[in-house]
Amino acid sequence: MRTRLSILCGLAAMMTMAAMSAAAGVQAVRQHAGDIQLAGVVPKNSAEQFELAFWNSVKDSKQVGDYEAYLKAYPKGRFAALARARIQQLKSAPQQVPAPAQKPVAQPAKPAESKPAREQAQARTANTSKAQQGKARPQQADATDDDQEEAPAPNTAGAMATVKDCEACPTMVALSPGPFTMGSNSSDPSEKPAHKVALRTPFAIGKYEVTVDQWRQCIKANVCPTVPLPDDAPGNIPMRDVSWDEAQLYIKWLTTASGKPYRLPTEAEWEYAARGGTATRYWWGDEMKGGNSSCKDCGQPWKMEEPPPVGSFPANPFGLHDMNGSVWEWVQDCWHSSYKGAPTDGSAWAEPNCQTRVIRGGSWREDGSYMLSTTRFKYDASVRQSQNGLRVARSLK
């Protein structure tokens, strides 16, 4: 027994020394990275700006996959050495010696599928300070998957009834088409020019982002890949760390399961849905206010490690939750650095052999400046990143 304990102590000491060495390496590389100076201000909508934004989104992560995603996108990037050192540090972190096995305690039966619950979300947000809450929140839509649930009345004639095509299918909100102004002339250059878009076809879009439980059903069908989320990850949080290519696998499975032509929303459909019939910077107005979206310093519930359950924040006027914040959402379109030449009928802006796709909406790790309805960014279609998820859509004609 004493010999075994000595061996375990020796192993723990060796792992601790390795972790300390890796930490020292990270510190040295971080100091070097801090010495990197860019020539003047990083221009918006430039390669440097996109790399910097990518790095800033993962630099505090504790997941190896986030740094591997950065290295895949920027193998010779200015933070590549720091990313490799951080990977070494995380892989060298000492592991706790497992405690002696104990007799398992019987647990109550777990529900077959976790569902978003308005009552739980309201209870969690009850302790939010008045400063964070701002004005009284509008009453949230009932976060259940009932087929006949009515969407909140929108400011314009946009939202209709909810749609649920199969037991495994996400609940969607049916939207009637209409005109709106897409983009912004006063924000990032990639959002210019603001232009009129007239959607011509009614479509349905996910009331919530695709959840972990919903993705797990696709895994059980041997279609979707297993994504490195914790085994105990709640089933009602948004699925993330999914590439655009992997999102297409989920879409394909859902189409087969439902018999309906599922897809990702087009970028124009996504912004139309996110605005909820409004023309302001955010769906709730022109000023950022806490308590409306899952983002850093934007109110509870929030934690750095993962986004809160879907439906934890109020729905927009179309009855859609978490369009701003939570996780970045893949859309169907190829990336273009501006809207010059973009379709004006709401269709996807696609091209052959497109390698870079658009993501929309910001995530829980970004601050309020990313919560604008016009916010957009890009990723390689094959890259996983722990802040990227999806919301499904399909045409209704």
Side-chain angles (χ1 to χ4, degrees):
M1 180 68 181
R2 186 171 299 174
T3 301
R4 182 183 178 188
L5 181 60
S6 299
I7 293 173
L8 291 174
C9 290
L11 287 172
M14 291 173 64
M15 294 174 71
T16 300
M17 291 177 64
M20 291 174 63
S21 176
V26 169
Q27 183 62 28
V29 176
R30 182 177 284 121
Q31 290 174 353
H32 172 69
D35 293 336
I36 297 173
Q37 298 294 327
L38 299 175
V41 178
V42 177
K44 287 188 175 182
N45 199 27
S46 66
E48 293 83 0
Q49 185 258 346
F50 288 123
E51 182 188 352
L52 184 60
F54 195 142
W55 177 253
N56 284 338
S57 72
V58 303
K59 66 180 182 180
D60 298 319
S61 175
K62 296 181 181 179
Q63 298 188 36
V64 170
D66 284 351
Y67 300 101
E68 292 176 340
Y70 168 81
L71 290 173
K72 183 173 183 178
Y74 301 100
K76 297 182 180 179
R78 74 173 55 85
F79 304 104
L82 183 54
R84 293 188 184 94
R86 183 65 172 145
I87 290 172
Q88 180 184 359
Q89 181 190 38
L90 291 171
K91 289 184 175 181
S92 302
Q95 303 295 319
Q96 294 182 349
V97 178
Q102 297 181 357
K103 184 177 180 180
V105 179
Q107 297 293 329
K110 186 177 180 180
E113 178 178 351
S114 300
K115 295 184 178 180
R118 178 185 61 180
E119 293 79 6
Q120 294 178 1
Q122 290 175 332
R124 284 193 297 271
T125 57
N127 295 325
T128 305
S129 67
K130 292 182 179 179
Q132 291 172 319
Q133 289 177 340
K135 295 182 180 180
R137 293 182 179 181
Q139 184 173 351
Q140 298 184 37
D142 187 12
T144 65
D145 285 341
D146 297 331
D147 292 14
Q148 303 302 319
E149 181 182 9
E150 290 295 329
N155 291 338
T156 61
M160 300 186 291
T162 54
V163 176
K164 189 171 175 65
D165 294 319
C166 67
E167 183 177 354
C169 296
T171 297
M172 299 188 293
V173 175
L175 301 180
S176 57
F180 76 107
T181 299
M182 183 175 180
S184 170
N185 288 327
S186 60
S187 189
D188 190 275
S190 70
E191 300 168 19
K192 299 178 180 179
H195 57 291
K196 293 291 184 181
V197 174
L199 278 69
R200 304 187 183 282
T201 305
F203 68 101
I205 187 169
K207 184 172 183 177
Y208 313 99
E209 293 151 332
V210 172
T211 66
V212 168
D213 267 347
Q214 288 164 347
W215 187 270
R216 284 171 174 162
Q217 293 183 65
C218 183
I219 294 175
K220 290 179 181 178
N222 296 316
V223 177
C224 291
T226 301
V227 176
L229 291 176
D231 291 337
D232 59 349
N236 59 351
I237 65 172
M239 186 60 198
R240 56 194 179 88
D241 212 2
V242 174
S243 71
W244 188 91
D245 291 337
E246 291 166 337
Q248 296 302 311
L249 295 176
Y250 178 80
I251 295 295
K252 181 179 179 180
W253 170 75
L254 200 58
T255 295
T256 300
S258 67
K260 303 291 184 179
Y262 277 81
R263 56 179 173 78
L264 292 177
T266 70
E267 187 172 13
E269 288 174 338
W270 189 97
E271 186 167 326
Y272 177 79
R275 288 181 175 276
T278 68
T280 48
R281 301 174 73 214
Y282 313 90
W283 64 257
W284 56 84
D286 281 322
E287 301 297 328
M288 179 62 200
K289 295 178 181 178
N292 286 315
S293 57
S294 174
C295 57
K296 187 176 181 181
D297 300 324
C298 297
Q300 296 301 319
W302 186 88
K303 58 182 179 179
M304 176 62 76
E305 292 76 18
E306 64 186 17
V310 299
S312 294
F313 290 87
N316 74 2
F318 282 175
L320 304 171
H321 292 264
D322 308 316
M323 298 293 290
N324 314 78
S326 189
V327 294
W328 288 95
E329 299 177 16
W330 289 108
V331 295
Q332 191 67 26
D333 301 49
C334 298
W335 172 260
H336 296 82
S337 59
S338 76
Y339 287 131
K340 293 180 180 179
T344 58
D345 61 356
S347 59
W349 197 0
E351 56 192 38
N353 303 316
C354 175
Q355 296 298 315
T356 307
R357 301 283 176 168
V358 180
I359 54 174
R360 296 296 303 256
S363 83
W364 85 100
R365 286 186 187 168
E366 272 83 44
D367 61 29
S369 65
Y370 282 78
M371 300 301 107
L372 282 73
S373 298
T374 55
T375 295
R376 62 196 299 259
F377 199 64
K378 64 176 183 176
Y379 269 88
D380 187 279
S382 64
V383 170
R384 283 181 177 177
Q385 211 275 350
S386 67
Q387 294 162 253
N388 297 350
L390 71 151
R391 186 184 302 258
V392 299
R394 74 171 178 87
S395 300
L396 294 178
K397 282 188 178 179

